[in-house]
Amino acid sequence: SDPDYFLHCKPNVHMMRVLEQLTQQASSLLHVGIITSVALTPKHFRTQSQAKRMWLKQQLSERAFDALTFDVTVSSKAQVAKERLQERVQYPVQQLTSRDFLIDDYMVNILSWDESGGRSIKYANGINNPRSYNGFVIGQEMTSEDIVQFLLAL
């Protein structure tokens, strides 16, 4: 596989605007982070992690990039979120809560997050089936401002 594959991916400009706007709202009550999956093999883990981080840095303003956390995983995004939350609150976190949101387009991640106590929002990316999930769904037909307002109202 091409080690630079992720560096050449076209950004979803719509969701990049959402990230920019959410990081402007970031505070002690609102934490914005990226949890991305990478391959398990050591070689691919390192190259994919670096490429995804570099790609994200190229897409976002410096202020937005610096305002969010960036984590990579080969397993559960929910587990990474629990560990990150535990660092912030300074006590053991057994479950996510309905205040812990995941926006994802992949049902495996969505269902795992829900099972861990968090609240998932499926991103209908134009390829996946928005009707495959009974929870919240956001899509490309929504403006970035509408998505941010929707998220902040939850």
Side-chain angles (χ1 to χ4, degrees), residues 11 31 43 83 89:
H31 172 79
K43 175 185 169 191
E83 291 166 5
V89 297

Side-chain angles (χ1 to χ4, degrees), residues 1 15 23 132:
S1 72
M15 292 307 288
T23 56
S132 66

Side-chain angles (χ1 to χ4, degrees), residues 107 110-111 114 120 122 129-137:
M107 283 304 297
I110 290 169
L111 296 175
D114 287 347
S120 296
K122 181 167 186 169
N129 181 356
R131 292 180 298 283
S132 66
Y133 182 60
N134 291 328
F136 294 115
V137 177

Side-chain angles (χ1 to χ4, degrees), residues 38-138:
V38 293
L40 182 58
T41 61
K43 175 185 169 191
H44 289 111
F45 180 90
R46 185 165 167 245
T47 58
Q48 288 179 3
S49 299
Q50 291 172 337
K52 286 184 172 191
R53 183 177 185 79
M54 192 178 320
W55 179 89
L56 189 63
K57 192 169 188 167
Q58 291 170 353
Q59 307 310 318
L60 295 174
S61 68
E62 185 176 348
R63 184 209 46 79
F65 184 79
D66 290 345
L68 57 79
T69 57
F70 181 83
D71 292 290
V72 294
T73 185
V74 295
S75 58
S76 165
K77 289 183 178 186
Q79 184 58 41
V80 172
K82 285 184 224 176
E83 291 166 5
R84 186 59 83 165
L85 182 59
Q86 193 166 297
E87 289 171 8
R88 287 198 320 276
V89 297
Q90 299 296 307
Y91 58 83
V93 174
Q94 302 300 321
Q95 282 286 104
L96 297 174
T97 72
S98 63
R99 300 296 306 151
D100 299 309
F101 293 94
L102 171 75
I103 301 172
D104 209 305
D105 60 355
Y106 187 50
M107 283 304 297
V108 170
N109 294 334
I110 290 169
L111 296 175
S112 170
W113 192 271
D114 287 347
E115 289 168 7
S116 295
R119 192 183 305 178
S120 296
I121 301 166
K122 181 167 186 169
Y123 179 65
N125 60 16
I127 299 170
N128 61 8
N129 181 356
R131 292 180 298 283
S132 66
Y133 182 60
N134 291 328
F136 294 115
V137 177
I138 57 176

